[in-house]
Amino acid sequence: MKRIPQMETSELRRRLHNGEQVYMIDVREDEEVAAGMINGAKHIPMGEIPARLDEIPRNEEVVIICRSGGRSQHVCEFLNHQGIHNVINLKGGMLQWHEEE
């Protein structure tokens, strides 16, 4: 199985701060994202990913985000099995993101 690329939250923060357009999908549940998301991220709950594959771009990298990096890792692995290989897991997820604020 292909190893899933990992992105540190500091790297994502730097890229966004520099004005890069980064495609991000937050796979947390509705009640989790109600507490806040990374600005610009698209919300697709993990359970809806299989039915919404057509919303995931194939021609640019896609950073997958969850609370701690576990669910997003599983989503990345699932997407790889579906032939979508341009996904990157946000290591540490939103917990790490908020720690660095």
Side-chain angles (χ1 to χ4, degrees):
M1 179 172 66
K2 180 180 182 269
R3 187 178 166 283
I4 303 297
Q6 306 291 309
M7 181 181 287
E8 297 286 342
T9 53
S10 57
E11 170 72 5
L12 178 59
R13 191 179 301 279
R14 182 190 63 76
R15 290 176 62 182
L16 293 171
H17 180 75
N18 288 340
E20 280 188 53
Q21 296 296 317
V22 180
Y23 199 96
M24 302 169 286
I25 298 176
D26 192 322
V27 298
R28 295 177 298 153
E29 297 302 316
D30 292 340
E31 59 275 7
E32 293 174 287
V33 299
M37 290 175 46
I38 297 173
N39 194 26
K42 178 181 181 85
H43 179 222
I44 304 177
M46 181 177 178
E48 294 180 18
I49 291 287
R52 296 175 66 180
L53 292 176
D54 59 331
E55 296 178 44
I56 301 170
R58 297 335 194 251
N59 58 350
E60 63 183 298
E61 70 178 14
V62 179
V63 177
I64 308 295
I65 303 163
C66 73
R67 179 178 166 270
S68 65
R71 279 178 285 177
S72 53
Q73 177 72 23
H74 289 298
V75 169
C76 288
E77 291 167 1
F78 170 79
L79 293 172
N80 263 251
H81 286 298
Q82 302 303 309
I84 302 172
H85 301 292
N86 56 320
V87 292
I88 301 170
N89 185 42
L90 185 64
K91 187 176 174 185
M94 292 302 290
L95 290 176
Q96 183 69 34
W97 180 267
H98 290 303
E99 260 183 39
E100 295 175 357
E101 285 184 319

